[in-house]
């Protein structure tokens, strides 16, 4: 995959999609694995490459909010308001679908998840392709999502037909999913858009359904690095590290600046210190989990950032990674 001028790369990626191929593309949240959402064969390949159960629906990506009308059976005023406020951006809206994508995309549900991603190359690709693109995160099922082209290459290698390199993802965790077919709208996944911002836009508190079986990212043990993940407070860190090291196990630590300053020396084989601001922590979270995993630790200790804004999605992902597998 030689580097090319962006326009060239966009044209080539769009051609791959038209031919029923798979394109890994950058979004502001994580990299997606794209296929033509109107092609049953192309969508089948997504599930095959990811190793993902076919009952789990995929998010449909479009280049502008106008395209929601062609995908949804009806667009409520709430859906329209959220699209107007937050698209392009890290928000997926679940709406009743209009049969505009193949059934494999929706997993046989009557609804479809739709979003307009906020990454210039993603938007160029979607506009050049001109149709709906089904795209889960571009990783193997159950693993940490990719936030760079190098992560995609490491996970999927030659199983993708084209990788569009758009640098590191600016948000770093997946989109927030809101089901607007429910009253009040229901959050199905915490993500890159703060729930507080959605509530402020609608003027009502949202409902939550974060453990639904239809959402693979909502399985307790999703987003997992290979090491055992243990969430710790700064206070208990040194004792936990000591105990694990004493039994001969390798310990890695993911922590943030403010917390790091509050703890003394600890028996850690390798550590990564992220910014304390939750959105900055989120941006680097998955790359840090991957980098620490490369040291093959037995245990990865994690000190979470504040659980406000995107910090709630960070805590959600790390808790899932820490659940029994
Ligand atoms: O940020 C993102 O959303 C990334 C980028 C690539 O856009 N995509 C992503 O896709 O995270 P994926 O497939 O890894 O997660 C899709 C989530 C799943 O949890 C799925 O169950 C849920 O969206 N979903 C999709 N359609 C749905 C529907 N109709 N009803 C309920 N959940 C749905
Ligand atoms: Mg995923």
């Amino acid at each position: 995959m030689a580097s090319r001028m962006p326009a060239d790369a966009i044209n080539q990626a769009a051609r791959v999609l038209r031919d029923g191929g798979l394109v890994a593309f950058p979004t502001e949240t994580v990299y997606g694995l794209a296929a033509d959402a109107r092609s049953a064969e192309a969508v089948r390949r997504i599930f095959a490459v990811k190793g993902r159960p076919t009952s789990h629906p995929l998010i449909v990506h479009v280049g502008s909010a106008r395209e929601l009308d062609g995908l949804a059976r009806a667009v409520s005023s709430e859906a329209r308001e959220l699209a107007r406020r937050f698209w392009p951006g890290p928000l997926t809206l679940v709406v009743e679908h209009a049969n505009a994508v193949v059934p494999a995309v929706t997993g046989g549900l009557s609804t479809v998840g739709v979003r307009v991603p906020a990454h210039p190359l993603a938007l160029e690709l979607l506009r050049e392709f001109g149709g709906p693109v089904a795209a889960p995160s571009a990783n193997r099922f159950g693993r940490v999502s990719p936030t760079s082209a190098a992560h995609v290459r490491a996970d999927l290698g030659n199983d993708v037909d084209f990788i569009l390199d758009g640098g590191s993802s600016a948000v770093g965790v997946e989109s927030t999913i809101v089901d607007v077919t429910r009253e009040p709208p229901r959050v199905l996944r915490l993500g890159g858009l703060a729930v507080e911002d959605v509530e402020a836009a609608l003027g009502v508190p949202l409902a939550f359904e974060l453990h639904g079986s239809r959402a693979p990212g909502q399985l307790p043990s999703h987003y997992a690095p290979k090491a055992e993940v243990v969430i710790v407070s700064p206070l208990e860190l040194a004792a936990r590290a000591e105990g694990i090291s004493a039994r001969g196990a390798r310990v890695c630590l993911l922590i943030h600046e403010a917390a790091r300053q509050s703890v003394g020396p600890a028996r850690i084989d390798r550590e990564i210190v992220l910014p304390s601001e939750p959105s900055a922590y989120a941006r680097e979270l998955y790359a840090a989990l991957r980098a620490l995993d490369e040291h093959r630790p037995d245990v990865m200790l994690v000190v979470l950032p504040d659980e406000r804004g995107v910090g709630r999605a960070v805590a959600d992902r790390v808790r899932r990674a820490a659940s029994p597998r």
Side-chain angles (χ1 to χ4, degrees), residues 50-126:
K50 278 199 64 122
R52 168 155 157 162
T54 51
S55 58
H56 291 305
L58 304 174
I59 291 172
V60 173
H61 297 68
V62 288
S64 81
R66 284 188 305 279
E67 289 167 74
L68 181 60
D69 290 297
L71 293 166
R73 202 144 56 76
V75 181
S76 66
S77 59
E78 282 157 332
R80 211 168 284 289
E81 177 61 10
L82 293 180
R84 189 186 69 77
R85 289 285 291 267
F86 299 114
W87 282 354
L91 171 68
T92 294
L93 294 176
V94 169
V95 294
E96 294 290 339
H97 72 67
N99 290 310
V101 298
V102 295
V105 170
T106 60
L109 299 175
S110 64
T111 55
V112 63
V114 182
R115 88 176 188 103
V116 180
H119 188 293
L121 292 189
L123 290 172
E124 278 186 54
L125 174 63
L126 291 166

Side-chain angles (χ1 to χ4, degrees), residues 29 32 52 57 59 61 111 115 136-137 174-175 177 189 214-216:
T29 58
R52 168 155 157 162
I59 291 172
H61 297 68
T111 55
R115 88 176 188 103
S137 50
E174 298 80 354
S175 60
I177 303 180
R189 178 174 72 183
R214 281 300 192 147

